[in-house]
């Protein structure tokens, strides 16, 4: 348990304390994978891929290259000038539901920003920390966004943004009934095999590029409650004014 009051406004501080704990207790690891709890995740393809990546100056995920800084006090993503005064757009960062970074990057962030709170929420805050390291010189970072189509940030097969499909590794914004449905679909498809001992075996994950159809498991829960970003009532979407695409200070890997 981290020594911080549980609230969404404390999420940047909570994330920083988590990074410190990971760096202190798991410093011999190669990668740190961060994942939300409201997800369905097929981990083996990502784990297989990370084994082939050099664990140095590396950040993997769904990279946002031009997310505006919210100055609207009614928004849950509001940043005051005290929180983040430098820019109107955040530096590139990996969106929070699922990301992976090499431990050397995490350790550098912790050493440079031991207790500093900057920006809100925690995923763009990490981008700010990394940007500071780069602007100070002597540090570079490799962004790997080649798998962003493997991340379904909307749990619908007909979503207008980041939809669910049969090559998805990760589905965000799902609840227990949807997770159970998706698990059963993968078991029925033979991707997961439950042994008599209770052990679950993944069948040749490195050789599989497609997965069971999960469209029948999709949910239509509202994603957020910001008054400025209403749900359209039909298809789920992320707030485009927050997650706008644009240029950045780092080029993605080819």
């Amino acid at each position: 348990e981290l020594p911080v009051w549980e609230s969404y406004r404390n999420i940047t501080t909570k994330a920083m304390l988590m990074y410190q704990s990971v760096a202190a207790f798991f410093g011999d690891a190669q990668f740190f994978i961060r994942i939300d709890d409201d997800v369905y995740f097929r981990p083996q393809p990502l784990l297989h891929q990370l084994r082939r990546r050099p664990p140095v100056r590396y950040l993997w995920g769904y990279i946002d290259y031009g997310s505006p800084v919210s100055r609207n006090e009614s928004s849950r993503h509001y940043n005051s000038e005290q929180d983040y005064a430098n820019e109107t757009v955040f530096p590139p960062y990996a969106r929070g539901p699922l990301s992976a970074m090499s431990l050397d990057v995490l350790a550098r962030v912790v050493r440079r920003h031991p207790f500093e709170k900057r920006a809100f929420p925690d995923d763009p805050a990490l981008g700010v920390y990394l940007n500071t390291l780069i602007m100070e010189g002597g540090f570079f970072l490799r962004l790997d966004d080649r798998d962003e189509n493997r991340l379904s940030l909307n749990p619908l097969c007909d979503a207008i943004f980041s939809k669910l499909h049969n090559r998805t590794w990760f589905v965000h914004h799902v609840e227990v009934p949807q997770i159970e449905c998706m698990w059963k679909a993968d078991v029925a498809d033979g991707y997961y095999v439950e042994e008599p001992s209770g052990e679950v075996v993944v069948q040749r994950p490195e050789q599989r590029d497609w997965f069971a159809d999960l469209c029948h498991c999709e949910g239509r829960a509202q994603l957020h409650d910001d008054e400025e970003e209403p749900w359209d009532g039909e298809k789920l979407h992320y707030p485009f004014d927050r997650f706008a695409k644009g240029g950045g200070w780092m080029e993605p890997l080819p």
Side-chain angles (χ1 to χ4, degrees):
E1 185 176 349
L2 298 173
V4 60
W5 185 262
E6 185 69 31
S7 75
Y8 189 66
R9 291 304 304 184
N10 284 337
I11 195 169
T12 299
T13 302
K14 184 178 180 181
M16 197 66 216
L17 292 173
M18 175 182 65
Y19 299 152
Q20 290 177 332
S21 297
V22 171
F25 294 107
F26 303 97
D28 58 345
Q30 291 187 324
F31 293 98
F32 168 65
I33 298 176
R34 178 185 171 178
I35 183 170
D36 277 1
D37 58 0
D38 58 339
V39 305
Y40 182 69
F41 182 34
R42 295 159 168 153
Q44 288 297 333
L46 175 58
L47 296 176
H48 175 72
Q49 180 164 283
L50 290 178
R51 295 187 188 102
R52 302 157 56 195
R53 299 286 188 263
V56 179
R57 309 287 177 90
Y58 180 81
L59 178 64
W60 176 95
Y62 201 120
I63 308 298
D64 194 300
Y65 293 99
S67 178
V69 180
S70 176
R71 302 299 187 191
N72 185 342
E73 295 186 12
S74 66
S75 171
R76 67 198 300 250
H77 301 128
Y78 167 67
N79 278 262
S80 67
E81 293 293 329
Q82 183 179 3
D83 291 328
Y84 186 59
N86 295 19
E87 305 287 347
T88 59
V89 175
F90 285 119
Y93 63 87
R95 297 188 186 182
L98 177 65
S99 64
M101 72 174 111
S102 54
L103 254 289
D104 65 319
V105 174
L106 186 68
R108 284 290 295 269
V109 170
V110 169
R111 288 199 301 269
R112 174 60 180 81
H113 305 278
F115 291 103
E116 182 178 356
K117 178 183 178 182
R118 182 187 292 180
F120 180 84
D122 55 313
D123 41 354
L126 180 59
V128 172
Y129 296 148
L130 295 172
N131 185 39
T132 301
L133 290 172
I134 291 173
M135 293 298 101
E136 290 175 344
F139 183 81
F140 69 89
L141 183 65
R142 296 178 300 135
L143 295 184
D144 189 350
D145 64 355
R146 290 170 289 184
D147 298 308
E148 70 173 33
N149 195 42
R150 301 290 192 169
L151 280 65
S152 172
L153 302 183
N154 285 325
L156 296 174
C157 290
D158 61 349
I160 59 177
F161 170 72
S162 192
K163 66 181 180 180
L164 176 62
H165 52 81
N166 68 353
R167 294 189 176 187
T168 297
W169 294 350
F170 167 94
V171 188
H172 193 206
H173 293 300
V174 288
E175 298 179 350
V176 172
Q178 287 76 46
I179 294 172
E180 290 179 343
C181 177
M182 292 175 181
W183 168 261
K184 291 177 181 178
D186 275 341
V187 171
D189 189 53
Y191 182 65
Y192 294 122
V193 176
E194 297 185 57
E195 302 288 349
S197 63
E199 180 182 4
V200 176
V201 178
V202 183
Q203 295 297 305
R204 303 171 70 179
E206 70 281 0
Q207 299 181 20
R208 189 163 186 171
D209 193 45
W210 55 271
F211 303 93
D213 183 3
L214 302 180
C215 292
H216 65 286
C217 300
E218 65 184 24
R220 292 183 178 268
Q222 186 168 341
L223 296 188
H224 47 73
D225 56 7
D226 288 12
E227 293 182 1
E228 63 179 346
E229 298 161 356
W231 184 42
D232 62 16
E234 295 182 0
K235 300 179 186 297
L236 304 185
H237 58 79
Y238 260 51
F240 290 103
D241 56 345
R242 179 184 173 203
F243 295 128
K245 286 285 185 178
W249 45 245
M250 292 183 291
E251 291 295 327
L253 292 173

